[in-house]
Amino acid sequence: MASVLLAVFVNGKICKDPNMVSANDFFFPGLNKPGNTSNAQGSKVTAVNVNQLAGLNTLGISLVRIDYAPYGLNPPHTHPRATEVLVVVEGTLFVGFVTSNPADPNDKNKLFTKTLYPGDVFVFPEGLTHFQFNVGKTDAFVFAGLSSQNPGIITIANAVFGSDPPINLDVLTKAFQVDANVIKYLQAPFM
């Protein structure tokens, strides 16, 4: 009789046969190397989550290194499955997050911001839109821990203005209460 090997899925990932696990399943090299920031945003996120490091499966944590050119931006985004704790290693960053949909409809969303320096720590609560901007004239970099092995990311501008096919112009003009030409202008870089 032939033996049957059953794969066990945990959090959407296959658990490796314990007899096949090695030290390399728990090792990721290279966070000592700066990421390439020569792009439109002037930033580079190097992720170490379950997709890069199998040993994180079931552990509920992940890590990123974010590099910023002078005036580089990690644009407004959200992590639908994780809180993020960020520590500045080098540089000066202006960071913030905004609350969403307050219980009282008369209240506005509140923006929380802070200027951070090396050694400073800031927390971005799960699911809230947040950003980091290098306000210095030199490169900056941070490490951030996330409370999920696979935190996910939704970059707001990419999602709203860069969808394929584009979101209906009438929807966006009404949602943002601006002229259609403004929406077309915002969509143009994503086309």
Side-chain angles (χ1 to χ4, degrees):
M1 182 170 172
S3 64
V4 176
L5 180 62
L6 298 176
V8 176
F9 283 90
V10 178
N11 298 324
K13 296 292 178 183
I14 295 176
C15 284
K16 196 171 187 179
D17 179 339
N19 295 322
M20 303 299 290
V21 172
S22 74
N24 284 334
D25 293 311
F26 301 91
F27 174 73
F28 182 90
L31 284 187
N32 60 321
K33 297 175 186 143
N36 182 353
T37 60
S38 61
N39 56 56
Q41 300 297 334
S43 68
K44 171 63 175 164
V45 177
T46 304
V48 184
N49 59 46
V50 71
N51 296 317
Q52 291 79 32
L53 187 60
L56 288 173
N57 197 20
T58 74
L59 298 183
I61 57 171
S62 58
L63 178 73
V64 297
R65 173 184 171 139
I66 311 170
D67 291 278
Y68 310 83
Y71 309 108
L73 172 70
N74 190 8
H77 64 282
T78 183
H79 303 290
R81 296 181 293 276
T83 291
E84 177 179 343
V85 58
L86 177 140
V87 60
V88 177
V89 179
E90 289 181 8
T92 304
L93 296 179
F94 178 71
V95 304
F97 68 88
V98 63
T99 61
S100 181
N101 302 321
D104 183 343
N106 297 314
D107 289 343
K108 292 187 176 194
N109 295 333
K110 186 172 180 180
L111 176 64
F112 294 85
T113 63
K114 195 80 176 157
T115 299
L116 305 180
Y117 303 93
D120 288 346
V121 174
F122 198 81
V123 174
F124 303 104
E126 181 176 339
L128 295 185
T129 300
H130 59 282
F131 61 88
Q132 303 101 36
F133 180 60
N134 180 3
V135 294
K137 296 178 182 175
T138 62
D139 291 344
F141 84 92
V142 303
F143 289 113
L146 297 114
S147 64
S148 171
Q149 69 178 22
N150 191 10
I153 186 164
I154 300 167
T155 306
I156 307 305
N158 295 3
V160 174
F161 300 113
S163 68
D164 185 17
I167 296 173
N168 181 287
L169 197 58
D170 293 332
V171 171
L172 294 179
T173 56
K174 188 163 189 139
F176 288 95
Q177 299 186 16
V178 296
D179 184 83
N181 288 328
V182 173
I183 298 299
K184 290 176 186 176
Y185 176 80
L186 293 170
Q187 288 174 325
F190 297 98
M191 301 286 180

